[in-house]
Amino acid sequence: MSSSSSAIPIGNPNNQVYCHCNLQCTIYTSYKSRSCGRKFYRCSRNRSEEDCKFFRWCDELNESEHDMNYRISLNVVETSLTHVKAELLQIKILLVVLLVLMLIITIGVSKCNFESM
């Protein structure tokens, strides 16, 4: 598909569409004579090697696709939340290890000071 188009950011967060890469699509405006001014969704990786070639006219998006995109975006949020929870657990474990090490060092220093008296 060769066309003149310009990328514009998605303005309506309730109208999020995700491509086959599970990335939020970018809205472009067509400047071809037969579809001039018509907006369409494309993969955010448009014209790169990772482009999944997703294409959809904005005015042809139906309710079932909105539902599907909502489920995909919800899945992305849940996956992200799972990753954040796992990272938070790792941070908590590291903090406990750090506190134990500080306690061991403090006891060792106190013991050395007490024995030197």
Side-chain angles (χ1 to χ4, degrees):
M1 178 182 124
S2 64
S3 69
S4 297
S5 59
S6 65
I8 59 170
I10 293 181
N12 184 357
N14 297 328
N15 215 10
Q16 294 176 349
V17 174
Y18 291 84
C19 66
H20 306 298
C21 305
N22 259 352
L23 297 173
Q24 187 174 343
C25 291
T26 303
I27 295 177
Y28 292 87
T29 302
S30 172
Y31 291 105
K32 285 185 172 182
S33 60
R34 69 173 195 243
S35 58
C36 189
R38 197 170 178 194
K39 298 192 182 317
F40 58 93
Y41 294 101
R42 284 286 283 129
C43 175
S44 296
R45 298 175 175 161
N46 185 24
R47 297 185 179 154
S48 73
E49 290 183 19
E50 295 91 19
D51 183 5
C52 70
K53 308 294 184 204
F54 180 88
F55 174 88
R56 181 78 33 87
W57 291 111
C58 294
D59 56 8
E60 290 181 356
L61 196 64
N62 63 34
E63 288 305 313
S64 64
E65 288 169 321
H66 281 294
D67 293 343
M68 180 181 69
N69 283 316
Y70 174 76
R71 283 193 302 273
I72 290 171
S73 63
L74 186 59
N75 187 30
V76 168
V77 168
E78 288 172 349
T79 302
S80 297
L81 185 59
T82 301
H83 289 292
V84 168
K85 285 180 179 179
E87 289 176 7
L88 185 59
L89 180 61
Q90 289 176 346
I91 291 170
K92 287 179 180 179
I93 291 169
L94 287 172
L95 281 172
V96 169
V97 169
L98 183 61
L99 288 172
V100 169
L101 287 173
M102 288 173 61
L103 183 63
I104 290 170
I105 291 169
T106 303
I107 291 172
V109 169
S110 296
K111 196 182 238 186
C112 288
N113 288 339
F114 181 73
E115 291 175 356
S116 67
M117 290 183 161

